[in-house]
Amino acid sequence: MVFRKLPGVSASGMGLRLSQKFVFLLFLSGLVTLCFGALFFLPDSVRLKRIFLSKTETQPATVGSGSENDATREHLKRPKDQEPPRGMTPAKGETTSTKLKSLSRNPTVSLEATEERLAGGKAQEDFTLPRSKTESKTESKTESASEKAATSSSNRAAMSDTFSYDKFKGCLLKPPLGRDTGRPSDPQTNERREKVKEMMKFSWDNYKRYAWGKNELRPLTKNGHIGNMFGGLRGASIIDSLDTLYIMGLMEEYNDAKEWVQTSLDLNSNGEASLFEVNIRYVGGLLAAYYLTGEEMYKSKVMELGEKLLPAFNTPTGIPRGVINLGSGTSWSWGWASAGSSILAEFGTLHLEFVHLSELSRNPIYTEKVMNIRKLLNKIEKPHGLYPNFLSPVSGNWVQHHVSIGGLGDSFYEYLIKSYLMSDKTDEDAKKMYYGAMEAIEANLVQKSPGGLTYMAEWRGGILDHKMGHLACFSGGMIGIGADDGAPEKRQHFLDLAAEITHTCHESYTRSATKLGPEAFRFDGGGEATATRLSDRYYILRPEVIESYMYMWRLTHDPKYREWGWEAVEALEQHCRVESGFSGIRDVYTMTASHDNMQQSFFLSETLKYLYLLFSDDDLLPLEDWVFNTEAHPLPIIRRGCMQDEATQDKTVSE
Ligand code: DMJ
């Protein structure tokens, strides 16, 4: 528009005097300052705030030198094959090129945020950037009428059939805690088991003393860590410890934990959470606590939490996004995930918990949500039969072809075989998908090193990366528990493969100075089963190698697995135990410890639980009745026939 100069009107076109202009300008600048200042008072989830104010966390006190910074830089590099294939539509508001820019320039990733993502585990191994701002609410399909009806409480109240804990107990084949709490008759094994129990008590006592109610303990600085993985939920270490304390018979500690859940676990948080992490730790932890103890309080808490996760599935395909605001239900894809994609190991690691949420609530919606994921994955074309790690929740297509049995892919495969086992071997689709995936993995990823070590390489659009992550070491146990239900001619083969992988992972421990394994080890560049990059040398109290020892012990009773477990106990004691808890270390290849000042909650939930089970009799949480979720929370096998049988109504298993 052009302003013409009219007679009698000043150049400003407004007819204002100088003093009036000054007052007007003053008023205007005051208004702008006020609006900007108001941004600081908006809740974290408000989009405007995210746009105008970058989220820089305050850096906590850290101890030791910066191997994690090296790790960060390494993780910020984007592998070539993460370009979305041609013709792939990026999620709304995102383009690959802008994302690439932010990948190389983003200066706001704090050390603390990075530590969390590094710890976050299987699903979050490789990348360290903030999430994409593509909000699902704006583009998602709205909840269907039937879904609304299914979730409404009146609908649930109208369902006559309710879950009976007594009936469930009656359907177990064995008492959960065994004849004598799994106490081994051999004195040396019992002594080792007691040692693990002492480690748990030590970890717990220090958490309680210095970090009570926070998510994790920082054992060097003796304070708590909250982080931003759980959307404002607190007490991750408490929820993750409930079942471990219970099976170890640490009852005073268990009762403190239970009381905290009852009185202080606040589910009305309004922060942004990883759907995957909340599911495996909180939902899994509360479900396991309920099934082990029958305390109704756990059941109502987990149902309340489960409902809060449902909006994450409101996308055009029903594939959930990675991040959800627990208060508003808005969800996002991770900023580091190619073109707004969802991650295989995240949306593929919900099945066990969600089926149990339906089981307890008698509301089919949770099962429907995960079955929909299953259906899509079953239908979609798979390159060489493999499942790539990134999938668009909008188009339902793969976003790029990176395949890994370690980070970003891992627990998807784990949940296929465990879904089959948890369904009392009735979930034929899960079985078919698991053995199909195994065939493709064997044909494309399984490798033998010149030195004779079997390992799982990663696959980047057809090119092999001869690297195996610590996270991938869970696969020894997984292949082991899946051996029995494979084709008869492949059973022994699967068991042998499981043993070989577990052996390789043990080698990654024995080839280090500390006898603890690095985050990732390679089979190129001259070495075998050793980290060749500085950024891969850390150990953050992860469980996967010990997890495989535990399963292989149960499956074979080969004493070497208990010996290997004991080696790990000694190494943990020597290198990770500090005055006030256990801490990860930054370099497994040096004896001069540099601690990362973090006692991860999965150390209490998984590492120590698997060690304890390794030194216990097999009747403590017998595999005939229980499957462990990916955070080692035991969930019972669902025996539909038995649960519907009137005769089992009042039958309970005596312990
Ligand atoms: C745990 O939270 C779970 O095992 C998850 O599946 C992967 N990462 C950590 C342990 O390393």
Side-chain angles (χ1 to χ4, degrees), residues 291-312:
Y291 281 116
L292 284 175
T293 66
E295 288 283 351
E296 287 296 315
M297 176 266 297
Y298 295 129
K299 184 173 142 192
S300 50
K301 292 271 182 200
V302 79
M303 295 321 311
E304 194 184 331
L305 181 56
E307 279 203 25
K308 287 178 188 289
L309 302 182
L310 285 173

Side-chain angles (χ1 to χ4, degrees), residues 344-386:
L344 182 68
E346 296 200 329
F347 63 78
T349 308
L350 302 165
H351 202 102
L352 303 182
E353 297 80 3
F354 273 55
V355 165
H356 269 294
L357 287 174
S358 278
E359 188 65 15
L360 292 186
S361 62
R362 293 294 192 246
N363 184 342
I365 192 152
Y366 302 98
T367 302
E368 283 164 16
K369 295 289 182 197
V370 288
M371 281 304 185
N372 178 54
I373 299 176
R374 167 86 66 76
K375 217 161 75 197
L376 190 143
L377 288 175
N378 222 339
K379 219 171 55 193
I380 184 173
E381 202 180 312
K382 292 164 267 295
H384 301 271
L386 294 164

Side-chain angles (χ1 to χ4, degrees), residues 118-124 229 240 276-277 280-281 345 349 410-411 414-415 470-471 474 519 540-544 547 600-603 605-607 610 629-632:
L118 293 173
K122 293 181 184 174
Q124 296 182 29
M229 244 173 15
D240 256 356
F276 164 80
E277 295 292 352
I280 66 170
R281 302 193 202 206
T349 308
D410 50 12
S411 39
E414 176 185 353
Y415 271 36
H470 192 288
L471 293 164
F474 85 99
E519 179 66 4
I540 54 169
L541 306 174
R542 286 201 194 277
E544 291 77 16
E547 174 179 350
Q600 303 286 348
S601 79
F602 53 67
F603 181 64
S605 156
E606 296 190 74
T607 313
Y610 285 134
N629 87 339
T630 196
E631 188 79 358

Side-chain angles (χ1 to χ4, degrees), residues 237-254:
S237 288
I238 299 177
I239 308 293
D240 256 356
S241 294
L242 284 164
D243 49 21
T244 311
L245 294 169
Y246 187 79
I247 66 162
M248 288 183 177
L250 289 166
M251 293 319 282
E252 204 181 299
E253 292 76 5
Y254 164 77

Side-chain angles (χ1 to χ4, degrees), residues 2 42 60 88 100 182 258 280 296 333 379 388 435 472 535 539 549 624 642:
V2 181
L42 293 175
M88 200 64 73
L100 272 170
K258 180 177 117 186
I280 66 170
E296 287 296 315
S333 298
K379 219 171 55 193
Y435 290 104
S535 55
Y539 171 71
Y549 297 164
E624 293 94 321
C642 175

Side-chain angles (χ1 to χ4, degrees), residues 345-454:
E346 296 200 329
F347 63 78
T349 308
L350 302 165
H351 202 102
L352 303 182
E353 297 80 3
F354 273 55
V355 165
H356 269 294
L357 287 174
S358 278
E359 188 65 15
L360 292 186
S361 62
R362 293 294 192 246
N363 184 342
I365 192 152
Y366 302 98
T367 302
E368 283 164 16
K369 295 289 182 197
V370 288
M371 281 304 185
N372 178 54
I373 299 176
R374 167 86 66 76
K375 217 161 75 197
L376 190 143
L377 288 175
N378 222 339
K379 219 171 55 193
I380 184 173
E381 202 180 312
K382 292 164 267 295
H384 301 271
L386 294 164
Y387 292 81
N389 292 336
F390 298 91
L391 185 93
S392 162
V394 177
S395 67
N397 292 323
W398 303 117
V399 172
Q400 44 91 337
H401 289 177
H402 172 216
V403 178
S404 159
I405 194 89
L408 306 173
D410 50 12
S411 39
F412 158 69
Y413 305 97
E414 176 185 353
Y415 271 36
L416 286 179
I417 184 64
K418 288 183 176 176
S419 294
Y420 173 64
L421 297 173
M422 198 182 83
S423 71
D424 203 16
K425 305 194 178 179
T426 60
D427 186 347
E428 288 296 329
D429 277 344
K431 180 181 184 186
K432 217 168 116 214
M433 284 170 79
Y434 172 75
Y435 290 104
M438 273 310 298
E439 206 177 312
I441 287 168
E442 284 213 67
N444 294 285
L445 307 186
V446 175
Q447 301 289 305
K448 184 84 99 188
S449 73
L453 296 177
T454 305

Side-chain angles (χ1 to χ4, degrees), residues 4-11 13 15:
R4 258 194 239 138
K5 199 173 175 192
L6 298 174
V9 177
S10 74

